[in-house]
Amino acid sequence: MEWFIGHYAGTADRRDPRLSPLHNPDLTGLPPATIITAGCDPLASEGRAYGRALVKAGTRASVIEFPGQMHAFLDLGALLDDALTARRLVAGELRAAFA
């Protein structure tokens, strides 16, 4: 993970909320959120933590985990049923948000 973080963040402060919104000290007033995590993703725990932080700040948030999936599984819609399910979920959430 250090290799990936180093390439993503470079020399920036790794606690900068622009790199990870979980580090934002004030999450109040944000719009509702749907957070999709993959069970085999090293970042899944951060997604769950962000969801809890949003709820604690009064934001309606849900975390939906796809067990057994890896980071970026949504890109594999032609191969994984879970990817299609997650894409449909995202599409439904967006339709509802913009209705």
Side-chain angles (χ1 to χ4, degrees):
M1 286 305 300
E2 284 298 318
W3 184 86
F4 289 106
I5 293 168
H7 281 29
Y8 178 71
T11 60
D13 177 3
R14 294 181 182 190
R15 296 195 58 82
D16 187 320
R18 293 172 296 180
L19 291 175
S20 175
L22 180 58
H23 297 301
N24 191 331
D26 182 10
L27 296 172
T28 59
L30 293 176
T34 300
I35 300 162
I36 295 177
T37 61
C40 296
D41 185 346
L43 301 174
S45 60
E46 288 185 26
R48 290 188 298 270
Y50 183 56
R52 286 190 302 271
L54 287 171
V55 169
K56 185 177 178 183
T59 297
R60 184 174 56 85
S62 59
V63 177
I64 300 152
E65 185 163 298
F66 285 80
Q69 294 303 334
M70 72 292 188
H71 190 85
F73 77 99
L74 280 108
D75 295 339
L76 301 174
L79 301 172
L80 300 173
D81 289 339
D82 277 352
L84 292 176
T85 299
R87 288 177 178 189
R88 288 184 188 109
L89 173 72
V90 168
E93 292 290 317
L94 286 169
R95 272 192 299 277
F98 291 111

